[in-house]
Amino acid sequence: ILKVLSSIDAVIRSQRAPPLIYRHSKGPAQNGVKENGQECGFEHLLPTIEMWADQLMAVKDLHRSLRKLSLEVVPWHLTNTQDSREAVRVEDLQFLVDAMLEELENKEKSSQSPSLQTLLAMVSHFQKLFDVTSLHGVYPRMNEVYTKLGEMTNAMRNLHELLQLDTSAPPTVVVDTVGKLCDIISENVTERVQQLLGTQDIHSIINKLEEHECFFPPFQALIQDLLCLLEISNLDDILPTVKNLK
């Protein structure tokens, strides 16, 4: 018995034992020495063993509760059903807790992904914006919108370069610049037409066009008659042919 008590005493005094498990005897009545001279230090041994037994049972209950919780959180980790008669280790509890913590961390990371309701709302909104009547037409319309957007982006980039505008200039600035350029070109064309016709008055231009309309048909008829009479087909041959007739 003394050997067993000595072994228990060594376990209780070890560094792995909880610090409050072993306590020396206090008071004059408890400070006696046993017949073999061993120090009395086991007055709390029975309550401590009872506490250990209660804690071991509580560990089993905790393990059972953690397994139930794991069935809801990480059911794929519970592949083997542990026999209730087997001893529960702290490693088993730690494994369950770590698995659930890892799953919670993964859920927090994936919680930023949109839900099914959000995705359905986005698809419905796209259908309204681009007049898509069915889900089958969503992808073709997306491709069409993407293609058109690329074409417009390239066109705007080319216009920025041609008009020497900053790349940050909005489309309204590009349109205004193109409009001004068209006005300048239109003014230049009008001025060149006026110079060609030798007049700056629109009424004079109208009169010249009317004169041309009156003169050209009889002149064209005369030329056609000459070509037929001289039996030639080219205008440049009229004058040489007439000279030869002289």
Side-chain angles (χ1 to χ4, degrees):
I1 294 176
L2 293 177
K3 184 177 181 180
V4 172
L5 293 177
S6 299
S7 299
I8 295 175
D9 183 50
V11 171
I12 293 178
R13 290 176 180 270
S14 67
Q15 296 181 354
R16 298 179 60 186
L20 297 179
I21 289 179
Y22 177 81
R23 291 182 297 177
H24 289 286
S25 302
K26 295 183 180 180
Q30 288 83 11
N31 287 336
V33 179
K34 291 185 177 181
E35 294 179 358
N36 60 351
Q38 293 291 331
E39 179 184 358
C40 295
F42 304 104
E43 63 272 12
H44 297 290
L45 180 60
L46 182 59
T48 299
I49 295 177
E50 291 177 350
M51 180 194 68
W52 283 357
D54 294 338
Q55 291 297 314
L56 289 176
M57 293 301 298
V59 167
K60 290 186 177 182
D61 294 337
L62 178 60
H63 184 259
R64 191 181 303 109
S65 300
L66 288 176
R67 285 184 62 85
K68 290 181 179 179
L69 181 60
S70 298
L71 287 174
E72 300 294 332
V73 180
V74 283
W76 51 87
H77 283 284
L78 300 178
T79 55
N80 298 324
T81 303
Q82 188 176 12
D83 191 350
S84 59
R85 294 174 296 179
E86 295 181 2
V88 178
R89 299 174 302 175
V90 176
E91 291 82 355
D92 299 330
L93 304 180
Q94 190 65 44
F95 172 77
L96 295 175
V97 173
D98 290 342
M100 288 186 287
L101 288 176
E102 182 180 359
E103 179 63 19
L104 291 176
E105 291 177 357
N106 294 334
K107 284 185 177 180
E108 290 178 357
K109 294 179 180 178
S110 61
S111 62
Q112 299 177 355
S113 302
S115 63
L116 179 60
Q117 291 76 11
T118 302
L119 295 176
L120 291 176
M122 293 172 63
V123 173
S124 177
H125 187 62
F126 180 88
Q127 288 182 264
K128 292 179 180 178
L129 288 178
F130 298 98
D131 193 23
V132 182
T133 58
S134 65
L135 291 177
H136 298 288
V138 171
Y139 281 111
R141 185 56 58 86
M142 283 185 175
N143 294 333
E144 181 181 352
V145 170
Y146 178 78
T147 302
K148 295 295 183 182
L149 179 61
E151 294 176 355
M152 293 181 63
T153 301
N154 292 333
M156 291 299 296
R157 185 185 301 111
N158 294 333
L159 285 174
H160 279 93
E161 293 179 357
L162 291 174
L163 300 174
Q164 296 181 355
L165 295 175
D166 188 78
T167 55
S168 61
T172 54
V173 175
V174 176
V175 173
D176 292 340
T177 306
V178 172
K180 293 177 181 178
L181 183 60
C182 291
D183 293 339
I184 294 174
I185 294 175
S186 178
E187 292 176 358
N188 291 336
V189 170
T190 303
E191 183 179 356
R192 288 181 179 276
V193 171
Q194 291 175 350
Q195 292 176 356
L196 178 64
L197 297 176
T199 179
Q200 302 295 325
D201 188 2
I202 188 63
H203 296 289
S204 300
I205 296 175
I206 295 174
N207 293 332
K208 286 183 176 294
L209 291 175
E210 290 177 351
E211 292 175 359
H212 178 271
E213 186 177 357
C214 294
F215 170 76
F216 185 75
F219 177 76
Q220 184 180 16
L222 176 61
I223 295 300
Q224 290 294 333
D225 292 340
L226 285 174
L227 292 175
C228 292
L229 180 63
L230 299 174
E231 297 181 352
I232 58 178
S233 59
N234 195 347
L235 291 175
D236 296 334
D237 296 334
I238 292 177
L239 186 59
T241 303
V242 172
K243 288 181 178 181
N244 292 332
L245 291 176
K246 294 174 63 177

